[in-house]
Amino acid sequence: MAKRTKIKDILKGGFEGQEVTVKGWVKTFRNNQFIALNDGSSMSNLQIVVDFENEDPSKLKRITTSAAISIEGTVIASQGKGQAFEVTAKTIEILGDSDPEKYPLQPKKHSLEFLREIAHLRFRTNTFNAVFKIRHHLAIAIHQFFHEKGFVYMHSPIITGSDAEGAGEMFKVTTLPFDKTPRTEGGEVDFKKDFFGKATNLTVSGQLEAELAALAFSEVYTFGPTFRAENSNTSRHLAEFWMIEPEVAFADIHDNMDLAEALLKYTISHVVENCPEELAFLEQRLSDEEKQKPQHERSDMTLRDKLNFCVNNEFQRLTYTEAIEILKNSNPNKKGKFQYPINEWGADLQSEHERYLVEKHFNKPVILTNYPKEIKAFYMRMDDDNKTVAAMDILFPGIGEIVGGSQREERLDKLMARMDEMHIPHHELEWFLDTRRFGTCPHAGFGLGFERLVLFVTGMTNIRDVIPFPRYPGSAEF
Ligand code: ATP
Ligand code: MN
């Protein structure tokens, strides 16, 4: 195939007077003369000027929106407004037609919900071009951050034989037939006859596996898909989402907070530096959307203001107990505005409380620590008061919880006592308990929800619009 020059490179300059081959999809074709061509390398289109008087009319008819074409031509300085360079076409080849009668997108703004239903064209819109470029840059920045610090990228399994993690409802993995399920004498499903010889599920978290690796490599992280069969139809939950889970030996909860804050700041500034075009577009999109809202709900910060604010300010750190005091005495609580009023210590915080703390009271990212043991997982380290555990959640404006983590309980007796209190059978987790039997040590880690980070950085409002193929209750298209 003829060597293709990317549109991004042509628009950067340095090709003037040169013959190039460009390939891409037609955005628009005006006056039988001007093609706006996009190849995904840049959000900007390349203008192709067609010598329509000397071109076969039947070919011109096939230059329709979304058709794939290949152009050979010369790069020249553009006379028109809006672009510095354009290409005058010498030959035009239609690679793939796009029938305008059947093409589902009109040249107007479509709802994000509608676009979700046409996965192939969704990628060709400006919004999703920007979102998925930023998603890519965030993923790279995350690997870069950990790699530079000497962490080992550890692949935790997607199919797991342990169902005791308790992070959420699990999807079962089985090859047993539904109609003739083998049964034990007692009438239970006989998983010994199943593919793995036992019941298996899709993972809800790679943490326990990461703990094993951390107690050998000192510093590891996972970055992979996780699955939760929770029926939470919200703008912040997916049934399949990606999670980053660092786990660090010889670290306490304070080291853990420092690491999480540094990771978030590093990745956000990476996007600010590397994706100016995408951010400018999404910022405009967000501000257009804000204009639809009533005055008092509008933000006075632009998208990039928000990102920079987050990078340049220390996250507010406070304990759960301090947060409860603030919430108890808050105006919305006193005026009965919370759906779940805060009356006493021990209450689980709902998203309305998290948002109050982050968006009204502190007006910046918040790290909440030392939650009551009753509302947190069994593996979190017991504090000296025997009431709270060394948990830490990071709450972000507009998002709520973005990170959940803790210092882990490294003392075998305390860990087993906690499992007993929570009715978690030991035999399921002997392999995990062994880490506490053979060279245990203080260690800590957290889970960062990748899509929640993408949501924050792109300023999108629904988590379904920041993952290429969203899975949520009632929907697993494509
Ligand atoms: P939430 O209270 O928001 O449901 P969680 O307490 O269940 O979160 P963890 O189990 O601590 O969350 O998971 C770690 C991180 O994974 C969360 O901080 C969040 O960023 C992300 N996360 C959790 N559940 C989902 C989900 N269903 N979809 C997308 N991201 C999620
Ligand atoms: Mn949850």
Side-chain angles (χ1 to χ4, degrees):
M1 282 206 170
K3 195 172 175 320
R4 174 174 83 93
T5 306
K6 289 191 183 185
I7 288 175
K8 179 181 177 179
D9 294 329
I10 294 177
L11 295 177
K12 261 192 228 150
F15 283 87
E16 210 178 327
Q18 290 184 32
E19 296 269 314
V20 293
T21 301
V22 289
K23 301 182 187 198
W25 295 271
V26 175
K27 283 259 172 168
T28 55
F29 186 31
R30 275 190 301 124
N31 302 343
N32 248 0
Q33 194 176 11
F34 302 108
I35 304 172
L37 192 70
N38 192 285
D39 66 358
S41 63
S42 160
M43 290 193 69
S44 309
N45 304 319
L46 176 66
Q47 173 151 292
I48 310 288
V49 184
V50 177
D51 178 10
F52 60 99
E53 281 165 344
N54 296 309
E55 194 57 72
D56 171 6
S58 69
K59 192 186 269 178
L60 291 177
K61 273 213 189 92
R62 294 170 64 196
I63 304 174
T64 55
T65 298
S66 250
I69 62 173
S70 175
I71 302 282
E72 282 170 23
T74 313
V75 180
I76 57 163
S78 178
Q79 308 294 317
K81 274 191 293 193
Q83 69 270 324
F85 301 101
E86 61 190 24
V87 166
T88 50
K90 284 210 179 65
T91 61
I92 302 172
E93 188 191 344
I94 311 285
L95 302 173
D97 289 285
S98 169
D99 183 349
E101 301 286 317
K102 297 190 181 136
Y103 184 67
L105 290 185
Q106 305 307 315
K108 62 159 196 179
K109 214 175 157 211
H110 290 278
S111 81
L112 299 169
E113 290 78 8
F114 173 70
L115 289 172
R116 262 178 237 145
E117 293 166 11
I118 38 172
H120 58 303
L121 297 175
R122 185 181 187 236
F123 286 128
R124 291 203 198 146
T125 63
N126 288 333
T127 300
F128 289 100
N129 183 296
V131 166
F132 293 125
K133 285 264 180 62
I134 288 178
R135 186 180 165 109
H136 161 79
H137 277 274
L138 282 170
I140 297 292
I142 285 164
H143 286 301
Q144 211 165 286
F145 174 86
F146 286 119
H147 180 69
E148 281 168 8
K149 287 189 180 302
F151 281 61
V152 176
Y153 177 25
M154 199 52 74
H155 295 96
S156 49
I158 288 172
I159 298 175
T160 170
S162 89
D163 65 352
E165 292 161 30
E169 286 297 311
M170 302 183 101
F171 289 101
K172 293 188 176 63
V173 175
T174 180
T175 55
L176 291 179
F178 288 115
D179 44 354
K180 292 191 208 91
T181 323
R183 301 274 166 181
T184 62
E185 279 176 15
E188 316 249 281
V189 175
D190 187 2
F191 284 108
K192 288 215 174 66
K193 304 240 161 64
D194 204 350
F195 188 90
F196 296 107
K198 63 179 294 194
T200 49
N201 297 291
L202 292 180
T203 185
V204 291
S205 153
Q207 178 200 319
L208 302 189
E209 289 85 354
E211 281 192 49
L212 269 58
L215 296 198
F217 292 88
S218 299
E219 289 163 323
V220 301
Y221 71 105
T222 72
F223 187 170
T226 47
F227 308 85
R228 298 193 185 177
E230 48 197 5
N231 196 5
S232 37
N233 247 315
T234 78
S235 57
R236 298 175 307 114
H237 289 90
L238 289 161
E240 176 178 304
F241 65 100
W242 288 63
M243 188 145 61
I244 297 99
E245 295 182 277
E247 195 67 38
V248 183
F250 317 114
D252 64 15
I253 186 176
H254 302 286
D255 303 317
N256 209 25
M257 289 191 272
D258 292 344
L259 181 69
E261 185 167 339
L263 170 65
L264 289 165
K265 288 179 168 171
Y266 179 96
T267 51
I268 294 167
S269 26
H270 179 94
V271 171
V272 172
E273 274 164 37
N274 290 281
C275 309
E277 192 189 17
E278 288 77 13
L279 281 180
F281 176 84
L282 291 169
E283 181 166 283
Q284 186 58 46
R285 195 193 156 274
L286 183 64
S287 101
D288 291 346
E289 207 159 76
E290 292 258 307
K291 286 183 196 133
Q292 316 286 323
K293 289 188 188 166
Q295 189 76 43
H296 70 277
E297 280 179 28
R298 289 184 208 167
S299 165
D300 44 11
M301 281 206 244
T302 68
L303 179 58
R304 274 172 293 188
D305 287 343
K306 283 184 207 166
L307 301 183
N308 287 323
F309 183 84
C310 198
V311 169
N312 296 327
N313 285 282
E314 294 214 336
F315 296 1
Q316 183 72 42
R317 300 182 184 190
L318 73 160
T319 65
Y320 166 90
T321 305
E322 289 163 335
I324 285 289
E325 279 311 304
I326 293 170
L327 289 167
K328 242 201 245 170
N329 299 318
S330 70
N331 265 332
N333 199 48
K334 286 188 193 149
K335 290 189 180 151
K337 292 259 167 72
F338 283 143
Q339 198 185 340
Y340 299 89
I342 296 287
N343 299 318
E344 57 190 83
W345 192 91
D348 202 353
L349 299 185
Q350 306 296 326
S351 131
E352 56 180 350
H353 309 127
E354 297 178 347
R355 296 192 70 154
Y356 175 81
L357 289 170
V358 174
E359 288 160 32
K360 296 274 165 359
H361 190 83
F362 290 112
N363 218 349
K364 58 169 155 165
V366 167
I367 313 186
L368 278 187
T369 62
N370 308 92
Y371 284 73
K373 64 180 179 189
E374 286 79 12
I375 57 174
K376 286 293 178 188
F378 74 94
Y379 49 72
M380 299 193 178
R381 192 176 196 277
M382 191 68 68
D383 291 328
D384 292 339
D385 64 6
N386 262 320
K387 281 168 66 185
T388 57
V389 289
M392 60 127 206
D393 281 5
I394 303 188
L395 315 177
F396 257 38
I399 306 287
E401 182 186 327
I402 191 164
V403 163
S406 67
Q407 184 172 339
R408 317 305 190 191
E409 183 56 82
E410 84 282 14
R411 299 159 297 188
L412 182 64
D413 53 336
K414 292 216 159 51
L415 182 60
M416 293 204 297
R418 200 65 201 116
M419 287 171 71
D420 292 339
E421 278 171 29
M422 296 174 79
H423 309 291
I424 299 169
H426 297 192
H427 68 264
E428 291 272 345
L429 285 173
E430 288 304 338
W431 58 273
F432 177 68
L433 292 172
D434 274 350
T435 55
R436 274 61 170 174
R437 294 187 179 112
F438 308 110
T440 190
C441 71
H443 62 288
F446 60 85
L448 162 64
F450 187 50
E451 284 75 19
R452 295 214 183 150
L453 177 61
V454 183
L455 199 55
F456 178 73
V457 175
T458 57
M460 299 293 282
T461 41
N462 195 320
I463 199 163
R464 296 171 187 178
D465 294 321
V466 300
I467 187 165
F469 299 93
R471 271 89 183 83
Y472 48 92
S475 177
E477 278 310 306
F478 317 112

